Amino acid sequence: MSEKKPVRRGFDKNFMGRILSYMFRYYKWQFFLVIVLIIVTAVCTLQSTLFTRTLIDDYIAPLLGQSNPDFSALGARLVKLASVLSVGVLSSFFYHRMTATIGQGTMRHLRTELFTHMESLPIRYFDTHKHGDIMSVYTNDIDTLRQVIGQTIPNFVNSGATIITTFVSMIVLSLPLTVLSCIMVTVMIFVSGKIGGKSRTYFVRQQRNLGAVNGYIEEMLNGQKVVKVFCHEDKAIADFEKINDDLRDAANNANKFANIMMPIMANIGNISYVLCAAIGAGIALSGVFPLTLGTLVSFMQLNRSFSMPVTQISQQVASIISAMAGAERVFAMLDEESEVDEGYVELVNVHEAPDGTLTEAEEKTDIWAWRHPHQADGTVTYQKLQGKVTFLDVDFTYDGKKTVLHNIDMEAEPGQKIAFVGSTGAGKTTITNLINRFYDIADGKIRYDDININKIKKPDLRRSLGMVLQDTHLFTGTVMENIRYGRLEATDEECIMAAKLARADSFIKRLPDGYQTMLKGDGSNLSQGQRQLLAIARAAVADPPVMILDEATSSIDSRTEKIVQEGMDALMHGRTTFVIAHRLSTVRNSDCIMVLENGRIIERGNHDELIEKKGRYYQLYTGNAIGG
Amino acid sequence: MLKTLMNEIGEYKKDTILTPVYTAAEVLMEVLIPYVTALIIDRGITAGNMDAVLVYGGLMVAMAFASLFFGAQAGRHAAAASTGFAANVRKDMYRKIQDYSFSNIDKFSTAGLVTRMTTDITNLQNAFQMIIRMAVRPPLMLVMSVFMAMTISSELSMIFVVAIVILAFLLTIIIANATVTFNNVFRKYDALNASVQENVSAIRVVKAFVREDYENRKFTEAAVNLQNMFIKAEHLVALNNPAMMLVVYGCIISLSWFGAKLVVAGTITEGNLTSMFSYVMSILMSLMMLSMVFVMISMSTASMKRIYEVLTETPDLQNPAEPVMAVENGDIDFEHVSFSYKQGTGEKVLKDIDLHIHSGETIGIMGPTGSGKSTLVSLISRLYDANEGTVKVGGKDVKDYDMEVLRNAVAVVLQKNELFSGTILDNLRWGNPDATEEQCREACRLACADEFIEKFPDGYNTYIEQGGTNVSGGQKQRLCIARALLKNPKVLVLDDSTSAVDTATDAKIKKAFAETIPGTTKLIISQRISSIEHADRVLMLYRGHVDGFDTPENLLKTNELYQEIYNTQIKGGGDFDQPSAA
C-alpha cells in the first residue's frame, strides 16, 4: 500500500479527477452505460425539440388551406415520435437510478476507505489534529462530496451531452446562427466566470466569519456557567453582536452574487434568443442562406436548449466551491502516512514438550511464543513469551526538536511491577506509549523478551500488552460486547470470569439488563468508577503477560476507588506491570519505583530504599514542602 | 411557532416583502416573453416582415432587461432579508441564552445549544431564502402561464390542466415517500458518524487491543447498510425526472395533434402553437419547483422547532420586583432545603438540609460522588432555586437579591472551570472590569498564580488559547481562583478547585486566604483530607443529607464516613503525586 503521494499542484483539476477515478474504479461499466443513457436521453429530448419544425414544415404547412385535410400521416408520425420519446423516458429512468447507485456506492467506498485509513494512522495524527476537525471530515466534508458525486457530476455529464447534441443539430440547421449562439454562450460563460469569481471571494469571507461566530458561540457556551457566575452577560452579548453583524454582511454579499447569477444568465439567454430571431429572420428574408421558417423556429428552440445547460452549470458554482474545500480535507486525510510496520517476529501459539522444545500449534494452547524467522539461513526459531521489558538509553521527542525523555534505562523481569511517579508532564505516560510503539523512539533500544520491539510485528506486540488508560473509553454495544473487546473469541463465561476478577461483576448484575445492558455514548449511563471497572475487565479477558496501567486520579470517591483498586491489584497479579501510580498502596507494593522529573529518571528503588534516601520521593510521600 | 419566528424578521421586513414583489415582476416578464416570441414568429418571420421582427425583438430585449433588473433586485433583497433574518435569530437566541439559568442550560446541554445556534440557523436561513424567493414564483408562473395559454386557446389549455393534475399527483406520492425514507436514512447516518466519533476518541484503545480490522469490518457493514438505504431513498427521487419527462412528452404529442388541427382550421396561428410549447415547459417546471419548496420546508421544520424551543424557553430564575441591592455579610443559612434537578418527578439531590454558617468561617465540604456537594453550593449564588425551604445569604433570602448583586458577593470557582481566549489580564478582569494591574497581581499572589505567570515570557499579557489549552490544569485552577478573588466576595466557594494543584501549594493558598481575607466566608469542596483539615468545620454529605457537620477533630471521633476517608488517604491509600508547582 505504498502508493506515491500525488503532488499537490493544479489542485482543482486534481480533485475532480480523483473523485472521478473513484467512480471509475468500482463502477466502470455502469459509468459508461450512464453516459450512453444520458446521450440517448439527450437525443430523444432533442427529437421533441426538433419536432416543432417537422410539425410546422411537413405536417401543417402542406395542409394549410386544404378543405379536407388528412391528418393520418401526422398521426403515424406522432406514434413514431411517442415510441422514440418512451425510449427517452425509460433511459432517463434508468440513468437516474444508476446514478443514485453509483453515487452512493462511491460514497460508501470513499467513506470506508477513509475510515480504514484513519484506523491505520499513527497515534501522532490523533494527537496533532483536533478530534472535532477529524469528525468534521466525516460529517461536513464528505457530505459536500456527496453533493458533487450525486448531483454535480451527473449534471455536468447531462449538460455536456445536451450541449453537444444541440450543437451538432444547430450546425446542421444553420451555420451562421450557430456562430451567433456560440458567441452569446461565450458571453454567458465569461459573465458567469466574473460573477462566480466575485461570489467565491465573498463565500470564502462568509466561511471565515461563520467559523468565527461558531468558534465564539462554542467558547462562550462552553463557559456559559462562568459567564453567569461572573455576571458577564452584557459584555458577551455586545461582543457577539459585533461578529454576528460581520457575518451577516459577508453572508449577504455572498448570497447576493449567487442570487443574481440566475437572472443574469437567463436574460442573456433571452437576448441571445432575440438576436437569433432577428438575424435569422434577416437571413431567411434576404435569402443569403437557405433557411425555412420551420428551421428558424426550431433553431430558436435549440438556442434555448443550448444556453440552458450553461445557466445550470453556473448554478453549481457555489456547491463546487464548497466541495473543493471539503475534498481537500478528505484527500488530505487519505494522503496521511499510515503507521509503518517493518516487524517480522510474530506471536504464535505453541506446544511445549517436556524437554522445553516448542512446536507451533494451530489451535489455542495458552502458551505463546515469538516466532523468529532468520533471513540468513531461512530457519525459524521459537522463543517462549515471558514478559521481560528492557529500556536501553532511550531518548524520545514528539516533534523532533524538544527531547521529552532522556537516557531512560530500566529492566523489568517477568512478573515484576514497575511504578512511575512524578508530576504531570514528567514523562510517565510517554514511557508507556513507547513500549507498545504508539510512538517510536529517537535513540536507544527497547527490548521485549530480549527482542528489539522494532522487529516485532506491531499487532503482535500490542496483543502481548494490556492497557488500562486513565480516561476510559467504551463503545456503543452491550456490557458483554465491551468486555469481549479484549479478546473477540472469548466465551460469555470467560467474560464473566474476567468481570469477576475485575470486581465489576456485582455492579453489572445490578444493571437493568445485566450483561446485556446497552451502553450508549461512551458509557455515559455508567459512573466513572464503573467504567473503569469495565476497562479492567476488558484488559483481564485479553490476559496478556504485560500490563500497562494508568491509575485514575481523584475524580472517584473513596468507596468506589477501593473496589477499583482491588480490581487493578487482581489484574496485576502475576504479570509484568508498568503502572503510572497515584496511590501509595500501589507504589509500596512495587518492585521498583521510578521517580521521573523533566523526562529523566531521577531516583529509583523500592519504597523503603527511596524513603531512606530522603530525596524527591520522600518529599512527595510525606507531602512536605517541595522546593520550587 | 411561525409567528415567533416571523417576529425575527424585524428591520428586514422591507426586504422580505420586496423580494416576492420583484420576483412577481420578474415572473410577469418571463411569462410575457414567450408571448412576444410568438409575435416575432407570426407577425415578423412568417409574414416576412423585418420591421416587425425588429420592433418585437426590441420589445423583447427591453423586457429581458426589465426581467434582469427585477430578478437582480429580487436576488439582492432576498439575500439581505435571509441573512438579516438569520442574524436576528442568532442574536436573539444568544440574548435569550444569556438569560437562561443553569437548569435551562442543562436542559438543552451546551453541545445542543451550539448546534441550534449554528447548523439549525443555517438551515433556517436557507429555507427562508428559498421560501421568499420561491413561494410566489411557481404558483404565479403556473397561474400566469395557464392564463396566457387560455388566451391563446382554451381548448388546448385543457391538455395542461390534465397534465398538471397527473404530475401533481405523481410528485406528491414520490415526495411523500421520499421524505419518510430520507428521515430514516439521516438517522442511520447520524449513528454511523457517532461510531466514527467513538473510534476517534478511543483510538488508543482500538490500537492497544489491535482492533483496527474489527472496527473496519463493523464500519464497512454499517456503511453498506447506509448505502443501501440511501439508494432506496434516492431511487424514489430518481422517479421525479422521468415522471416529469413523461408528462411533458405527453403534452407535446397531444399539443402537436390537436394544435395541428387548430392551426389548419385557422383557429390559432403557428406562432401561437410555438408559444404553447414553451408554456408546457414553464408550467411543469413550476410544479417541480413547488415540490422542491415543500421538500425544503419539510426538511427545515426540525431545525425550526429546535430554534423555537430555545427562543421560547422561560428562564426559570427571575429577578424580584424590588431587589435588595447589597449583601450585608457572609452569613449563610439553609433552612430545611430540598432540591431536585427535575422538578416534581426527579430524585431529590438534597434532602432537608438545615445549616447555619457564620460570616468569615472556613467550611470544608466532603462526601462521595453524587452526594450533592456541588448542588449545595450552587444554591447559595442562586444558580438554581431550592424546591423547598429557604437559602439565605447575609440574613436575607437569596430570591430577594438582585441576581447580579448576589453573584458578585458570592464568588464561585466552578468544578469545571473555563478560561477564555484573551490575555491573562483580560481573564482576570472578568472578576472586576476596573481592577488595576496591581490588584490583579495581588489576587494572583493570593492564589499562588504569580510564580508561574511571571515565568511566562509575556507575563500577565500572555495570551490564553480557547479553552485554556496552553496552561496546565493546576495553573488554570489557580487563575480561576485569582479571577474569583478579584470580586472581593463576601462568600468564596471553591468547588474542587485545587484538585490539580499540589498539596504544598494548596496549603499555601488556604493559608493566604485565612490571613488576607478573614472576613470572607470560605466554602471548600474537596476529595482530599489535606485540603480541608484546617477548616473551622467540615460538612459531610451523604446521599443528599447532612451526615455530619463539626470540627475535623470531632468528626474524626464521631463520623464513620470521615474516618473511612481519613484512613484511606492518610494511612496508606492516598494520592501524593499531584502535579507540583514546578
Side-chain angles (χ1 to χ4, degrees):
Chain A
M1 285 299 280
S2 58
E3 278 175 81
K4 261 193 295 169
K5 266 188 159 188
V7 186
R8 188 69 58 72
R9 211 174 343 128
F11 174 72
D12 299 18
K13 282 170 230 141
N14 213 349
F15 115 90
M16 263 301 181
R18 263 184 104 161
I19 296 176
L20 281 174
S21 79
Y22 270 92
M23 302 177 80
F24 243 57
R25 196 179 310 163
Y26 303 104
Y27 298 98
K28 196 173 275 165
W29 67 268
Q30 285 101 322
F31 196 77
F32 281 116
L33 192 59
V34 164
I35 291 182
V36 171
L37 285 175
I38 287 177
I39 293 172
V40 170
T41 314
V43 169
C44 292
T45 311
L46 193 67
Q47 288 303 310
S48 74
T49 319
L50 288 176
F51 182 70
T52 325
R53 170 176 84 128
T54 327
L55 179 69
I56 293 175
D57 282 359
D58 299 353
Y59 296 97
I60 295 181
L63 298 181
L64 281 176
Q66 287 187 13
S67 53
N68 207 358
D70 176 18
F71 287 104
S72 59
L74 175 62
R77 182 71 182 82
L78 283 180
V79 170
K80 226 170 93 191
L81 178 69
S83 44
V84 170
L85 294 183
S86 320
V87 173
V89 173
L90 278 180
S91 63
S92 155
F93 172 74
F94 283 115
Y95 98 68
H96 275 102
R97 276 182 79 90
M98 288 179 66
T99 314
T101 312
I102 297 176
Q104 285 306 328
T106 310
M107 284 310 293
R108 194 260 293 170
H109 284 293
L110 192 62
R111 217 177 264 139
T112 329
E113 189 174 320
L114 193 66
F115 184 84
T116 314
H117 186 74
M118 181 184 83
E119 294 283 297
S120 78
L121 293 177
I123 293 290
R124 186 185 302 276
Y125 178 84
F126 297 91
D127 287 348
T128 49
H129 292 75
K130 280 190 194 148
H131 289 184
D133 292 345
I134 300 176
M135 272 322 288
S136 133
V137 172
Y138 286 91
T139 51
N140 299 323
D141 300 336
I142 267 212
D143 261 357
T144 60
L145 287 188
R146 190 159 68 95
Q147 272 250 308
V148 170
I149 292 175
Q151 289 175 10
T152 313
I153 292 181
N155 268 349
F156 262 79
V157 176
N158 196 357
S159 302
T162 312
I163 290 175
I164 292 168
T165 47
T166 317
F167 185 68
V168 172
S169 324
M170 282 187 355
I171 290 182
V172 171
L173 288 181
S174 167
L175 192 61
L177 289 184
T178 308
V179 173
L180 174 73
S181 300
C182 286
I183 291 171
M184 290 311 283
V185 164
T186 316
V187 171
M188 285 171 80
I189 291 170
F190 177 76
V191 172
S192 73
K194 269 267 180 275
I195 301 177
K198 258 245 173 341
S199 177
R200 186 195 328 225
T201 340
Y202 285 115
F203 261 108
V204 170
R205 197 171 298 168
Q206 172 185 278
Q207 281 324 106
R208 215 174 27 232
N209 281 303
L210 195 61
V213 166
N214 287 359
Y216 187 84
I217 292 175
E218 230 170 294
E219 173 168 21
M220 294 315 268
L221 287 189
N222 277 326
Q224 190 62 26
K225 296 198 172 181
V226 181
V227 172
K228 298 225 76 99
V229 167
F230 283 92
C231 304
H232 216 264
E233 292 95 332
D234 292 339
K235 178 85 172 41
I237 290 174
D239 288 347
F240 179 74
E241 287 187 357
K242 210 185 137 290
I243 56 170
N244 190 29
D245 284 348
D246 290 346
L247 169 63
R248 183 202 54 211
D249 294 340
N252 185 10
N253 278 321
N255 277 289
K256 192 161 71 186
F257 280 100
N259 285 351
I260 61 175
M261 179 84 101
M262 185 72 179
I264 291 182
M265 287 293 142
N267 286 300
I268 296 181
N270 277 333
I271 292 168
S272 164
Y273 187 86
V274 172
L275 285 177
C276 187
I279 294 173
I283 291 171
L285 296 180
S286 66
V288 183
F289 296 97
L291 189 70
T292 67
L293 166 63
T295 313
L296 180 55
V297 173
S298 291
F299 193 94
M300 284 160 67
Q301 265 174 350
L302 286 178
N303 177 285
R304 271 272 137 94
S305 329
F306 195 51
S307 55
M308 214 131 83
V310 178
T311 314
Q312 264 171 17
I313 291 176
S314 73
Q315 286 294 292
Q316 302 280 340
V317 169
S319 79
I320 292 175
I321 292 171
S322 66
M324 247 154 50
E328 186 171 9
R329 282 187 292 267
V330 170
F331 290 132
M333 186 148 142
L334 280 175
D335 290 341
E336 282 288 335
E337 208 99 38
S338 295
E339 233 179 320
V340 197
D341 187 7
E342 285 157 353
Y344 52 88
V345 176
E346 291 172 79
L347 193 61
V348 291
N349 271 300
V350 288
H351 289 298
E352 190 175 13
D355 63 350
T357 33
L358 303 168
T359 39
E360 198 171 335
E362 289 292 317
E363 73 281 7
K364 188 175 179 293
T365 59
D366 282 328
I367 307 174
W368 294 90
W370 297 110
R371 182 181 185 276
H372 206 309
H374 299 277
Q375 244 173 356
D377 52 3
T379 56
V380 174
T381 52
Y382 294 93
Q383 183 189 345
K384 203 170 164 187
L385 175 72
Q386 288 179 305
K388 178 183 173 189
V389 178
T390 333
F391 274 59
L392 289 172
D393 203 12
V394 170
D395 285 351
F396 176 72
T397 162
Y398 280 102
D399 52 7
K401 287 179 225 136
K402 202 178 140 214
T403 311
V404 290
L405 287 179
H406 307 266
N407 315 101
I408 303 294
D409 268 310
M410 63 174 188
E411 190 165 320
E413 291 298 331
Q416 272 195 333
K417 189 159 144 193
I418 311 286
F420 297 108
V421 299
S423 47
T424 314
K428 295 171 293 184
T429 312
T430 312
I431 291 191
T432 59
N433 281 341
L434 298 181
I435 303 174
N436 60 11
R437 291 191 70 198
F438 275 176
Y439 294 98
D440 281 330
I441 54 178
D443 198 14
K445 275 197 183 91
I446 302 175
R447 293 206 168 118
Y448 191 118
D449 284 344
D450 295 321
I451 307 166
N452 187 334
I453 55 167
N454 291 342
K455 292 184 184 163
I456 302 175
K457 280 193 172 169
K458 269 189 189 174
D460 291 318
L461 174 69
R462 288 176 187 163
R463 248 195 290 274
S464 69
L465 295 160
M467 232 185 169
V468 178
L469 299 164
Q470 204 184 101
D471 350 307
T472 319
H473 289 289
L474 300 172
F475 296 86
T476 307
T478 64
V479 170
M480 188 67 94
E481 284 165 358
N482 267 288
I483 297 176
R484 190 170 288 136
Y485 204 84
R487 186 157 51 88
L488 299 177
E489 322 79 68
T491 61
D492 282 4
E493 286 70 40
E494 285 172 315
C495 292
I496 295 171
M497 280 295 290
K500 281 187 175 149
L501 177 92
R503 309 291 186 271
D505 182 62
S506 61
F507 96 80
I508 297 173
K509 278 199 197 135
R510 271 182 277 127
L511 293 174
D513 297 314
Y515 280 87
Q516 299 308 321
T517 307
M518 278 298 285
L519 301 182
K520 289 180 213 84
D522 207 358
S524 56
N525 39 353
L526 297 180
S527 79
Q528 178 67 20
Q530 291 171 333
R531 291 154 42 117
Q532 269 176 5
L533 292 176
L534 276 188
I536 296 170
R538 181 169 65 186
V541 87
D543 196 21
V546 178
M547 279 300 310
I548 297 167
L549 294 177
D550 196 348
E551 283 188 330
T553 37
S554 54
S555 58
I556 36 177
D557 63 85
S558 312
R559 284 188 174 184
T560 324
E561 198 178 287
K562 227 169 153 180
I563 302 172
V564 172
Q565 194 55 45
E566 280 173 30
M568 289 259 195
D569 288 341
L571 187 60
M572 286 188 254
H573 187 76
R575 297 176 215 275
T576 316
T577 309
F578 295 93
V579 54
I580 298 171
H582 298 281
R583 275 171 203 82
L584 290 176
S585 61
T586 313
V587 182
R588 277 214 290 232
N589 297 333
S590 299
D591 297 297
C592 186
I593 301 161
M594 306 279 170
V595 184
L596 281 163
E597 201 162 273
N598 296 325
R600 291 175 201 276
I601 299 178
I602 53 166
E603 285 173 29
R604 68 174 83 204
N606 65 29
H607 178 72
D608 296 333
E609 290 164 14
L610 290 178
I611 288 292
E612 193 85 356
K613 224 178 198 171
K614 289 212 159 51
R616 173 77 173 155
Y617 180 81
Y618 176 81
Q619 291 173 334
L620 285 166
Y621 179 72
T622 54
N624 282 346
I626 300 152
Chain B
M1 179 161 86
L2 279 178
K3 210 178 140 228
T4 318
L5 290 177
M6 294 277 261
N7 280 337
E8 298 293 334
I9 297 171
E11 68 266 40
Y12 302 100
K13 215 167 260 150
K14 201 183 93 191
D15 291 307
T16 308
I17 294 169
L18 280 178
T19 307
V21 170
Y22 278 119
T23 310
E26 188 196 2
V27 170
L28 186 69
M29 289 301 140
E30 277 173 26
V31 175
L32 286 175
I33 285 172
Y35 191 73
V36 181
T37 319
L39 290 177
I40 295 179
I41 294 175
D42 287 344
R43 309 238 168 111
I45 298 173
T46 316
N49 183 346
M50 193 60 204
D51 290 340
V53 170
L54 291 180
V55 169
Y56 292 120
L59 181 63
M60 189 167 153
V61 170
M63 286 166 77
F65 273 107
S67 162
L68 175 67
F69 171 76
F70 293 135
Q73 284 293 325
R76 209 171 64 91
H77 288 293
S82 60
T83 54
F85 170 69
N88 280 350
V89 175
R90 221 180 285 120
K91 191 174 71 189
D92 280 356
M93 275 175 95
Y94 194 77
R95 278 172 179 275
K96 188 78 190 185
I97 293 170
Q98 297 304 318
D99 287 340
Y100 275 14
S101 72
F102 275 24
S103 54
N104 293 118
I105 295 175
D106 293 343
K107 187 178 145 193
F108 291 105
S109 88
T110 308
L113 286 174
V114 173
T115 321
R116 283 166 211 248
M117 284 204 66
T118 51
T119 320
D120 284 333
I121 288 194
T122 311
N123 286 345
L124 185 67
Q125 174 182 324
N126 290 340
F128 182 77
Q129 169 149 315
M130 182 91 168
I131 289 168
I132 58 171
R133 289 187 77 196
M134 290 302 184
V136 303
R137 175 178 276 268
L140 206 64
M141 195 100 167
L142 198 69
V143 170
M144 288 205 266
S145 298
V146 170
F147 175 78
M148 293 301 288
M150 287 282 198
T151 59
I152 294 174
S153 162
S154 51
E155 288 147 294
L156 285 182
S157 300
M158 287 319 288
I159 298 173
F160 293 164
V161 176
V162 174
I164 289 170
V165 172
I166 294 175
L167 190 61
F169 178 72
L170 288 177
L171 287 180
T172 317
I173 290 180
I174 293 170
I175 286 166
N177 280 309
T179 329
V180 176
T181 327
F182 266 115
N183 281 335
N184 288 332
V185 176
F186 284 126
R187 253 200 303 281
K188 265 266 155 22
Y189 195 19
D190 287 345
L192 184 79
N193 283 334
S195 84
V196 176
Q197 169 92 61
E198 217 167 66
N199 260 274
V200 172
S201 54
I203 189 72
R204 281 166 196 270
V205 178
V206 174
K207 292 211 172 250
F209 285 101
V210 200
R211 289 290 171 265
E212 291 98 327
D213 289 340
Y214 171 74
E215 292 295 335
N216 288 342
R217 269 199 308 278
K218 230 168 63 181
F219 182 85
T220 309
E221 202 178 294
V224 170
N225 208 337
L226 179 75
Q227 173 197 9
N228 291 333
M229 289 183 70
F230 251 125
I231 289 178
K232 207 176 127 208
E234 288 198 351
H235 277 180
L236 274 172
V237 180
L239 289 174
N240 262 350
N241 223 288
M244 164 95 175
M245 283 173 76
L246 190 70
V247 175
V248 168
Y249 290 157
C251 283
I252 288 177
I253 289 176
S254 345
L255 265 181
S256 304
W257 177 248
F258 297 109
K261 290 194 165 173
L262 289 177
V263 175
V264 172
T267 319
I268 59 170
T269 65
E270 285 155 356
N272 287 152
L273 187 58
T274 325
S275 305
M276 290 300 266
F277 280 121
S278 43
Y279 289 130
V280 173
M281 285 310 287
S282 55
I283 288 173
L284 300 177
M285 277 303 259
S286 50
L287 267 183
M288 284 293 268
M289 270 199 262
L290 209 54
S291 71
M292 263 165 58
V293 173
F294 281 122
V295 170
M296 268 298 263
I297 293 176
S298 81
M299 277 179 155
S300 67
T301 37
S303 292
M304 261 197 267
K305 229 177 263 164
R306 280 198 292 267
I307 289 171
Y308 176 74
E309 280 167 11
V310 173
L311 286 174
T312 51
E313 174 82 9
T314 16
D316 54 12
L317 300 181
Q318 316 263 335
N319 252 340
E322 281 173 39
V324 180
M325 295 307 287
V327 178
E328 219 161 279
N329 57 42
D331 284 351
I332 300 166
D333 303 280
F334 279 75
E335 291 169 357
H336 301 286
V337 170
S338 295
F339 178 79
S340 102
Y341 282 97
K342 282 180 207 135
Q343 284 186 16
T345 52
E347 197 194 335
K348 279 187 182 165
V349 187
L350 294 176
K351 292 166 211 155
D352 195 31
I353 303 278
D354 204 67
L355 291 176
H356 302 279
I357 296 165
H358 307 297
S359 200
E361 264 190 303
T362 301
I363 305 291
I365 302 175
M366 294 197 98
T369 323
S371 55
K373 301 181 297 284
S374 298
T375 314
L376 182 92
V377 295
S378 301
L379 298 184
I380 301 171
S381 56
R382 208 183 165 208
L383 299 176
Y384 301 95
D385 272 342
N387 302 130
E388 288 164 39
T390 326
V391 180
K392 285 181 178 170
V393 171
K396 292 196 180 74
D397 191 338
V398 288
K399 289 180 190 169
D400 294 337
Y401 287 107
D402 176 76
M403 270 195 274
E404 192 164 342
V405 168
L406 177 71
R407 286 180 189 161
N408 279 330
V410 181
V412 184
V413 182
L414 296 163
Q415 193 173 17
K416 185 184 171 292
N417 226 315
E418 297 288 343
L419 293 173
F420 296 87
S421 41
T423 65
I424 289 182
L425 275 182
D426 290 342
N427 268 288
L428 290 172
R429 284 188 179 130
W430 274 59
N432 174 10
D434 308 319
T436 62
E437 194 166 333
E438 194 34 57
Q439 284 171 314
C440 291
R441 281 172 195 274
E442 179 56 33
C444 288
R445 257 194 292 282
L446 278 181
C448 291
D450 56 336
E451 33 185 288
F452 72 85
I453 296 176
E454 276 153 21
K455 276 188 204 154
F456 289 144
D458 296 327
Y460 283 81
N461 290 313
T462 303
Y463 194 84
I464 304 287
E465 304 287 341
Q466 182 171 344
T469 44
N470 55 341
V471 286
S472 77
Q475 293 173 338
K476 195 166 150 184
Q477 286 185 335
R478 279 176 278 170
L479 282 175
C480 290
I481 293 173
R483 180 171 67 180
L485 284 174
L486 276 167
K487 277 190 178 180
N488 264 331
K490 297 271 194 305
V491 177
L492 177 65
V493 179
L494 303 184
D495 189 351
D496 213 0
S497 315
T498 51
S499 60
V501 177
D502 68 277
T503 329
T505 314
D506 188 19
K508 228 162 111 186
I509 299 173
K510 302 287 153 62
K511 196 165 155 243
F513 282 177
E515 285 164 4
T516 47
I517 46 167
T520 302
T521 312
K522 293 162 284 276
L523 303 182
I524 298 162
I525 297 180
S526 183
Q527 294 280 4
R528 259 199 260 165
I529 286 281
S530 63
S531 291
I532 51 98
E533 61 189 348
H534 300 298
D536 296 318
R537 286 190 287 171
V538 173
L539 171 66
M540 278 307 304
L541 280 178
Y542 186 70
R543 298 201 172 156
H545 63 79
V546 178
D547 193 64
F549 186 31
D550 211 331
T551 60
E553 294 76 29
N554 286 343
L555 278 183
L556 191 55
K557 285 179 209 141
T558 57
N559 190 284
E560 220 177 290
L561 207 57
Y562 188 80
Q563 287 163 357
E564 194 181 315
I565 299 175
Y566 186 86
N567 289 336
T568 33
Q569 291 194 7
I570 302 298
K571 289 199 197 145
D575 41 33
F576 64 86
D577 68 328
Q578 294 300 337
S580 77

